[in-house]
Amino acid sequence: MPNRRSGDPRLQHGRGSRQRPQGSADRNQPALGKLLSILRLVYAPVMLWAVVIAKDDTIALAAFGLAVVTDLLDSWLNRKQLGRRRSGEVLDVAANTVFVLAGTFALWQIDVVPWPIALLVPLRLAGLLAMIPALRSRGVRTLPVHLLGKVGAFFMLAFFPLLYLSHDIPETLDLGLEPSLPIQLAQAFGWAFALWGILLLWWSLVLYAQEVRRLMATTPPLEKGGATRA
């Protein structure tokens, strides 16, 4: 991984950096990308309230669906380069993180997700937060968002509505009938998304840890009194 002196454009540098904005498209970022991320942040507590307290399926499913749709639109905007500053990218990751934490907690509360699986989500976040002091010691604010983490977060967002839809369906319906094929497919795809999402999130954590290790090995620490830019 290029160090701070090599001018890696993916990293947020500290004092003394001569990094410049990446063009007019970056300076004139549309507000839509940030608005989509803010919607996920706003709807996270709404979803939590609907699932755990109000037990309102309509609001809960609407919030889950909104999270999936806004994340897809956000990714599409990013691919089209319609405006993605670093601040917008960080906001997108923060929104996904908050919603994934809230959704996992909500489904754990209603006994859809077992606690060992639910615990893996906050533990992964704790691992990311533990890297911050090492980054700051090298004058770096954040690492570049990894595609695996982004895909893993989307898988997590996608599994919420699928498993929530089928969470109160008994194994055997009235008259001894098994749940319909759509319900079985929702359960199968829901658990597939959940397991793949957790796997990709933890895989990205390992890659982030490797980048931090390389940064520590190739970049000298800031001089005493140095600080990163806000």
Side-chain angles (χ1 to χ4, degrees), residues 2-230:
N3 61 31
R4 183 157 52 103
R5 292 196 181 97
S6 66
D8 184 355
R10 302 177 306 163
L11 299 178
Q12 290 287 320
H13 297 282
R15 182 187 299 178
S17 169
R18 297 183 181 180
Q19 186 78 16
R20 293 187 178 182
Q22 297 180 357
S24 59
D26 192 39
R27 291 193 298 268
N28 301 318
Q29 177 190 14
L32 181 56
K34 288 186 177 181
L35 176 61
L36 293 173
S37 298
I38 291 172
L39 280 175
R40 289 198 296 283
L41 284 172
V42 170
Y43 267 78
V46 174
M47 174 275 301
L48 197 57
W49 168 82
V51 174
V52 179
I53 300 176
K55 302 187 185 305
D56 189 315
D57 292 345
T58 301
I59 297 178
L61 288 173
F64 286 137
L66 182 68
V68 174
V69 171
T70 55
D71 187 58
L72 282 174
L73 288 175
D74 213 355
S75 299
W76 179 80
L77 288 175
N78 193 21
R79 286 197 305 271
K80 292 294 183 180
Q81 297 181 347
L82 295 180
R84 171 60 77 196
R85 285 180 182 170
R86 185 62 175 167
S87 60
E89 196 173 56
V90 172
L91 181 61
D92 175 42
V93 172
N96 282 349
T97 300
V98 170
F99 203 99
V100 167
L101 283 171
T104 303
F105 176 79
L107 294 191
W108 169 66
Q109 282 289 301
I110 60 175
D111 297 323
V112 173
V113 176
W115 71 264
I117 293 180
L119 190 60
L120 291 174
V121 176
L123 284 179
R124 189 256 185 183
L125 176 59
L128 287 175
L129 295 177
M131 300 178 191
I132 292 178
L135 292 175
R136 293 296 175 87
S137 71
R138 264 52 180 182
V140 177
R141 291 181 59 193
T142 59
L143 289 171
V145 177
H146 202 287
L147 178 62
L148 286 182
K150 180 67 178 172
V151 175
F154 173 75
F155 280 176
M156 295 295 290
L157 295 176
F159 102 80
F160 293 145
L162 291 173
L163 288 188
Y164 186 79
L165 275 171
S166 58
H167 80 280
D168 58 352
I169 304 297
E171 292 184 1
T172 303
L173 302 177
D174 294 338
L175 305 178
L177 300 176
E178 293 185 356
S180 64
L181 180 60
I183 295 299
Q184 295 181 37
L185 288 176
Q187 291 175 336
F189 278 97
W191 278 112
F193 282 141
L195 296 178
W196 271 106
I198 291 175
L199 175 62
L200 292 178
L201 287 177
W202 275 86
W203 190 357
S204 68
L205 178 65
V206 173
L207 296 179
Y208 284 135
Q210 291 176 346
E211 290 201 45
V212 172
R213 181 177 59 82
R214 294 190 191 101
L215 182 68
M216 298 289 288
T218 59
T219 305
L222 289 176
E223 295 180 2
K224 195 171 184 179
T228 58
R229 282 191 296 183

